[in-house]
C-alpha cells in the first residue's frame, strides 16, 4: 500500500507559518530582560514579574482556544488569532514607558496562546492519518529552527546596532509573512456538531491528560528559568553577550538531531519509549548546567537538553492527541501547551525571586530539582496512566 505524501502543500504552509510564529517570538524573548534593564532600568525582580505576565495571559487563553478550535471553523480561529499576534509587535515599537510596554507584552500573550493551539491543530488536520505521529515530530522542527536562528539574529543586531526597535520590526514583518502563509491554506469543510452542546470541563481541559500535564509543567519550569535568565547570566557571570546565541543554536542542533532520529521510532508508534528517553537525557543536561559554571559545560548542557527535549516533546504531543477523540484535538493541544505555559510562568516568576535572593546558582539548582520531580512522576504515574487510557 502506498503511503500518502507527508509534505503536502497545506502542511508545508502551516509548517512555515509555525516557523514565523516562533522566529518572531524568539528573536525578542532572550533580549527582553536586557531591554527592560537598559531602557527602563527595571531590576531583576521586576523583570521576572513583567515577563511572567505574558505567559500568564497565554496560559489563561489556552483552554478557551482549544474550545474555540474544536467548536468553530479552525481556519477562521487561526487567522484571527494570527493577525492579532502579528499586530501586537507594532505596539512594542511605539511603547514609550515601562507601564505601556508591560500592558502590551501582557496582552500579547493572548493571541500567542491562541495561535499556537490553532496552528498545531491545523497541522494535525492536514496530515495524512497514517503519518500523523511522524508529521508531529517534523512539525516541531519549525520551532527548533526558529529557536536556533532567531536569538542569534537578535543578539547580533543588539551587539552591532544596539537597536531594540529593529528587532521588534523584524518580529513584526516575519509574523506578517506567517499570517499570509496560513491565509493560503486550503482546508476541507469540517462538520461541526449541531445543537447546543453541554459545557463541561473536558471541553476546556483534556482530563485524561492531567498526569502528562503535571509532568510537562515540571519539565518546562526548568526551561523557563534557563531561557529567561540566560542572557543576563552569560553577561554577568561568563563575561560575554554572544554565548547566549551560541547556547540556543547548540540546543536547537540537539533538538533537530533528536527529532530527526526520533521520527523513526515515532513512525513505529514507540511514543512512550521516545518520551522516557527524552526526559532522562534532559535531566542530565540540567544537572550539568546547574553543577558546573564554565563555558564548556554551558554549551555541553545545551546540546544534551536539546537532545532530550527533541525526543520528549513530539512524543508527549502524540500522547496527548492519542488520549483524545478526533473532536478534542484542539483541547488536547491546548492542554499540552497550557501545561508548558504553567511551568514556564512559574519558572520565570520563582526563578526571578531565587536570583534576587540567592543568586543564579540557587535558581538553576531549583530548576534541576523541579525537573527531577517531573521525571520521577512521569516514570511512576504518568506513563502507566497513558498506557491504560490511550484511544
Amino acid at each position: 500500500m502506498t503511503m500518502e505524501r507527508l509534505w503536502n502543500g497545506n502542511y508545508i504552509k502551516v509548517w512555515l507559518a509555525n516557523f514565523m510564529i516562533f522566529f518572531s517570538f524568539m528573536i525578542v524573548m532572550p533580549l527582553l530582560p536586557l531591554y527592560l534593564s537598559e531602557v527602563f532600568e527595571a531590576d531583576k525582580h521586576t523583570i521576572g514579574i513583567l515577563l511572567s505576565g505574558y505567559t500568564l495571559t497565554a496560559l489563561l487563553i489556552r483552554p478557551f482556544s482549544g474550545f474555540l478550535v474544536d467548536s468553530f471553523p479552525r481556519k477562521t480561529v487561526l487567522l484571527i488569532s494570527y493577525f492579532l499576534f502579528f499586530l501586537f509587535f507594532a505596539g512594542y515599537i511605539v511603547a514609550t514607558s515601562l507601564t505601556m510596554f508591560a500592558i502590551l507584552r501582557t496582552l500579547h500573550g493572548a493571541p500567542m496562546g491562541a495561535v499556537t493551539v490553532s496552528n498545531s491543530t491545523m497541522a494535525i488536520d492536514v496530515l495524512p492519518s497514517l503519518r500523523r505521529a511522524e508529521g508531529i515530530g517534523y512539525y516541531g522542527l519549525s520551532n527548533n529552527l526558529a529557536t536556533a536562528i532567531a536569538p542569534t539574529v537578535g543578539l547580533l543586531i543588539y551587539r552591532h546596532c544596539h537597536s531594540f526597535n529593529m528587532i521588534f520590526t523584524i518580529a513584526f514583518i516575519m509574523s506578517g509573512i506567517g499570517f499570509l502563509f496560513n491565509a493560503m491554506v486550503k482546508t476541507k469543510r469540517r462538520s461541526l456538531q449541531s445543537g447546543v452542546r453541554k459545557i463541561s470541563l473536558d471541553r476546556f481541559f483534556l482530563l485524561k491528560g492531567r498526569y502528562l500535564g503535571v509532568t510537562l509543567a515540571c519539565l518546562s519550569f526548568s526551561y523557563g528559568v534557563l531561557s529567561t535568565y540566560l542572557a543576563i547570566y552569560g553577561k554577568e557571570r561568563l563575561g560575554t553577550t554572544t554565548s547566549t546565541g551560541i547556547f540556543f543554536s547548540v540546543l536547537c542542533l540537539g533538538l533537530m538531531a533528536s527529532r530527526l532520529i526520533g521520527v523513526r521510532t515515532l513512525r513505529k508508534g514507540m511514543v512512550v519509549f521516545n518520551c522516557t528517553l527524552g526526559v532522562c537525557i534532559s535531566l542530565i543536561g540540567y544537572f550539568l548546567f546547574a553543577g558546573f559554571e564554565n563555558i564548556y559545560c554551558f554549551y555541553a548542557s545545551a546540546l544534551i537538553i536539546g537532545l532530550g527535549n527533541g525526543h520528549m516533546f513530539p512524543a508527549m504531543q502524540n500522547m496527548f492527541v492519542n488520549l483524545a477523540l478526533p473532536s478534542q484535538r484542539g483541547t488536547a493541544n491546548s492542554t499540552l501547551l497550557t501545561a508548558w505555559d504553567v511551568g514556564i510562568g512559574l519558572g520565570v516568576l520563582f526563578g526571578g525571586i531565587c536570583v534576587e535572593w540567592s543568586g543564579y546558582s540557587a535558581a538553576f539548582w531549583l530548576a534541576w530539582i523541579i525537573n527531577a520531580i517531573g521525571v520521577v512522576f512521569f516514570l511512576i504515574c504518568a506513563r502507566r496512566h497513558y498506557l491504560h487510557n490511550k484511544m
Side-chain angles (χ1 to χ4, degrees):
M1 182 177 67
T2 304
M3 296 186 75
E4 293 181 79
R5 188 159 61 98
L6 173 64
W7 292 94
N8 59 70
N10 282 332
Y11 179 65
I12 291 171
K13 291 167 189 170
V14 175
W15 192 98
L16 289 171
N18 193 57
F19 173 86
M20 298 304 176
I21 292 170
F22 283 90
F23 186 96
S24 304
F25 176 71
M26 287 306 301
I27 196 174
V28 168
M29 182 180 170
L31 285 160
L32 284 180
L34 292 174
Y35 173 70
L36 294 172
S37 176
E38 292 183 10
V39 176
F40 299 115
E41 299 181 348
D43 60 34
K44 291 168 188 161
H45 183 58
T46 302
I47 291 170
I49 293 173
L50 289 181
L51 297 184
S52 65
Y54 178 94
T55 307
L56 178 62
T57 311
L59 166 64
L60 292 173
I61 203 68
R62 295 283 197 206
F64 300 100
S65 303
F67 171 79
L68 292 172
V69 166
D70 286 338
S71 303
F72 298 96
R74 284 175 180 161
K75 185 174 178 180
T76 302
V77 176
L78 173 58
L79 291 180
I80 291 172
S81 57
Y82 210 127
F83 181 77
L84 292 173
F85 172 73
F86 150 72
L87 198 60
F88 265 94
F89 282 112
Y92 292 9
I93 301 168
V94 300
T96 55
S97 68
L98 183 61
T99 302
M100 184 178 179
F101 184 87
I103 292 170
L104 286 167
R105 179 67 180 171
T106 301
L107 292 176
H108 199 182
M112 175 62 174
V115 75
T116 45
V117 170
S118 51
N119 204 80
S120 59
T121 306
M122 181 66 75
I124 293 170
D125 281 351
V126 300
L127 280 167
S129 58
L130 292 176
R131 308 194 69 178
R132 186 172 296 136
E134 183 185 359
I136 289 173
Y138 282 123
Y139 178 78
L141 282 174
S142 56
N143 305 12
N144 303 152
L145 282 170
T147 306
I149 298 168
T152 306
V153 171
L155 288 161
L156 283 172
I157 293 170
Y158 170 79
R159 184 181 178 189
H160 294 290
C161 304
H162 212 76
S163 173
F164 290 106
N165 276 346
M166 184 179 293
I167 295 166
F168 298 150
T169 301
I170 292 171
F172 176 74
I173 293 170
M174 296 298 279
S175 57
I177 294 171
F179 172 80
L180 294 176
F181 276 126
N182 267 337
M184 294 187 289
V185 173
K186 297 177 181 177
T187 58
K188 295 178 181 178
R189 188 176 182 86
R190 185 170 61 95
S191 58
L192 301 172
Q193 291 189 19
S194 58
V196 179
R197 295 174 61 191
K198 183 180 178 181
I199 299 295
S200 63
L201 185 60
D202 210 34
R203 293 188 66 190
F204 298 93
F205 297 97
L206 186 69
L207 297 180
K208 285 184 178 179
R210 60 190 181 276
Y211 289 94
L212 290 177
V214 171
T215 299
L216 193 58
C218 290
L219 303 181
S220 65
F221 181 99
S222 311
Y223 189 76
V225 176
L226 260 67
S227 61
T228 302
Y229 297 100
L230 203 62
I232 294 179
Y233 170 75
K235 186 177 180 180
E236 293 185 2
R237 300 293 285 270
L238 301 178
T240 174
T241 57
T242 58
S243 62
T244 307
I246 299 172
F247 182 95
F248 278 111
S249 298
V250 173
L251 184 143
C252 289
L253 284 174
L255 282 167
M256 289 184 283
S258 60
R259 279 184 183 270
L260 290 170
I261 295 167
V263 291
R264 299 174 185 175
T265 45
L266 286 176
R267 195 180 300 147
K268 299 175 183 177
M270 298 169 65
V271 292
V272 176
F273 170 80
N274 267 31
C275 197
T276 304
L277 180 64
V279 298
C280 292
I281 292 173
S282 293
L283 184 62
I284 296 169
Y286 284 109
F287 177 81
L288 194 61
F289 188 96
F292 302 92
E293 191 178 307
N294 63 70
I295 201 70
Y296 302 106
C297 291
F298 182 80
Y299 293 136
S301 66
L303 179 64
I304 295 169
I305 291 169
L307 289 169
N309 283 0
H311 276 291
M312 177 275 293
F313 201 87
M316 189 76 78
Q317 187 169 11
N318 271 290
M319 290 167 78
F320 271 95
V321 172
N322 290 345
L323 288 170
L325 297 167
S327 61
Q328 292 180 302
R329 284 176 186 167
T331 303
N333 278 311
S334 70
T335 305
L336 168 87
L337 294 170
T338 297
W340 182 261
D341 284 344
V342 167
I344 291 283
L346 292 174
V348 171
L349 183 60
F350 287 101
I353 295 170
C354 204
V355 166
E356 193 72 23
W357 288 358
S358 304
Y360 292 108
S361 180
F364 296 142
W365 274 118
L366 174 65
W368 181 80
I369 290 167
I370 300 299
N371 192 278
I373 291 170
V375 172
V376 171
F377 184 80
F378 174 77
L379 295 175
I380 295 175
C381 299
R383 186 169 58 173
R384 183 181 303 172
H385 180 267
Y386 168 77
L387 291 171
H388 285 143
N389 290 277
K390 65 179 180 176
M391 301 298 294

